[in-house]
Amino acid sequence: MIPGMEPLPLPLEGITVVAVEQAVAAPFATRQLADLGARVIKVERIDGGDFARGYDTAAGGLASHFVWCNRGKESIALDLKNPRGLEVVRRLVADADVFVQNLAHGAAARLGLDAATLCAAHPRLVAVDISGYGPNGPYADKRAYDMLVQCEAGLVSVTGTPEQPVKAGIPAADIAAAMYAFSGVLAALVRRGVSGRGGPVEVSMLDALAEWMGHPLHHAMHGGTPPARTGLAHAVIAPYDAYPTADGGRVLLSVQNDREWRRLAEQVIQRAELGTDPDFATNAARVVNRERTDALVGEALGGLGADEAVARLEGAGVACARLRDVQELAQHPQLAARERWREVGSPVGPLRALLPPITLPGGGEARMGDVPALGEHTVALLRAVGMADVEIAALRRDGVAA
């Protein structure tokens, strides 16, 4: 909060989002909207809901993917193959500002829930179609799981060691699509504020991840050769790698210019003459002599504990980092010092969660609502669209709502 300034509302307060979503790409996009104040109504299958609910039980019995992507939402469970269930969604959409879906290719169109159809009926609506490969072309009908798109986008080809390509350890294709869907919604809402019209937004996982492949893609297209896989090293910079320390840790450092190399040579390796040695004095020479360069750095750091190595590197003005695992991330001193952790409610009790990266100092804190149980808000939402209790009871009795 800025001292002396009246708090501003969250930027998406008053915006209603309806999402027919599953897995990661759409749910992670709509969670960003919920964090910024939007009301997000999540439409789930009656037979188990979003299938990400069943990925694991690591979060106190809940699935870690689901907890990560679905806080702050209202869950309504409906059978969209039943006309009565589909009619409920249509009534929800009629009062919404944003609709998001990532159903299998063609499924939304068959239900009349594709962006083009909905925007034609509701000109102020912003409607988002998230797909694996886009609505046309030879790949339109292909299944598009995150790992598969990572492969098609070439990410796997530049990740790993010279001997072994590997996928990213996070769902990079899903996250890329989610964040472009999120920013696309914000852009469309700004346009609506000017023109009065919403309109369709289209995002594909392949398009999103191909954009993120910009550096290796341009390197290959314009330089003729793709960057080599180098593990934690860098294809064109040396030294740039993780080095073992005496206490079993690993410290990564990156020398960006020759001035830094001279400081590293003098203050860390403690051989000042290496700073001007023709075999090491320039980055080009160090890349050619990468094995010798790495051996010099490795020997120096291998005699130090990780804390001492980091202190010495920082004292020399050399960029460095501890190689942490995810448990260490959960205890990261920087996140703790900046008070980035909160608790959110869930069907199994409070769960620890990170504040979203967007911080609005002049406004309220992000709205980090509860993780919903399947169908937790079904009755309330059916009443909100004008259904009487007897109608609601009939829908639930007939398996149309749960």
Side-chain angles (χ1 to χ4, degrees), residues 35-244:
D35 286 342
L36 291 180
R39 181 189 188 192
V40 177
I41 299 169
K42 181 181 181 74
V43 180
E44 301 191 65
R45 299 164 57 101
I46 57 172
D47 54 345
D50 181 341
F51 54 71
R53 287 183 179 273
Y55 280 172
D56 60 68
T57 57
L62 302 179
S64 52
H65 279 82
F66 191 84
V67 168
W68 168 44
C69 293
N70 290 286
R71 66 173 179 242
K73 303 179 184 181
E74 301 171 44
S75 170
I76 181 171
L78 297 169
D79 179 4
L80 298 189
K81 295 179 181 178
N82 187 297
R84 291 186 292 168
L86 187 57
E87 177 58 23
V88 172
V89 174
R90 296 188 190 282
R91 290 163 75 168
L92 290 169
V93 170
D95 292 327
D97 300 282
V98 178
F99 178 80
V100 179
Q101 67 84 18
N102 69 330
L103 297 175
H105 177 67
R110 289 192 294 273
L111 295 170
L113 297 178
D114 58 294
T117 299
L118 291 177
C119 289
H122 306 285
R124 287 183 54 80
L125 182 71
V126 174
V128 185
D129 290 337
I130 301 175
S131 65
Y133 296 104
N136 52 19
Y139 277 51
D141 291 323
K142 284 180 69 70
R143 288 180 177 269
Y145 301 137
D146 177 83
M147 180 187 69
L148 308 180
V149 178
Q150 286 194 36
C151 290
E152 292 286 354
L155 176 59
V156 171
S157 76
V158 299
T159 306
T161 66
E163 299 76 25
Q164 180 64 48
V166 299
K167 72 179 181 68
I170 59 173
D174 283 323
I175 295 170
M179 297 315 290
Y180 284 114
F182 169 51
S183 57
V185 167
L186 299 183
L189 288 173
V190 171
R191 182 180 63 189
R192 188 182 76 171
V194 175
S195 69
R197 297 181 65 88
V201 175
E202 178 189 307
V203 176
S204 93
M205 293 165 66
L206 179 63
D207 291 348
L209 199 55
E211 168 66 19
W212 282 15
M213 288 291 292
H215 160 248
L217 178 62
H218 283 270
H219 191 286
M221 286 193 303
H222 304 304
T225 57
R229 290 190 302 274
T230 55
L232 286 172
H234 195 288
V236 296
I237 300 173
Y240 190 128
D241 210 333
Y243 302 89

Side-chain angles (χ1 to χ4, degrees), residues 10 38 69 102 153 156 161 166 172-173 190 200 215 234-235 244 274 278 295 326 332 350-351 354 360 368 373 390 395:
L10 287 171
C69 293
N102 69 330
V156 171
T161 66
V166 299
V190 171
H215 160 248
H234 195 288
L274 295 173
V326 290
H332 201 292
L351 294 170
L354 274 169
L360 303 171
M368 298 176 65
V390 63
L395 289 179

Side-chain angles (χ1 to χ4, degrees), residues 383-395:
R383 286 173 177 159
V385 296
M387 286 194 173
D389 285 352
V390 63
E391 296 177 274
I392 295 170
L395 289 179

Side-chain angles (χ1 to χ4, degrees), residues 74 80 121 139 157 172 208 234 264 292 320 333 335 342 359 365 369 399:
E74 301 171 44
L80 298 189
Y139 277 51
S157 76
H234 195 288
L264 180 71
R292 293 169 62 198
C320 61
L335 296 175
R342 297 292 184 273
T359 300
E365 187 170 284

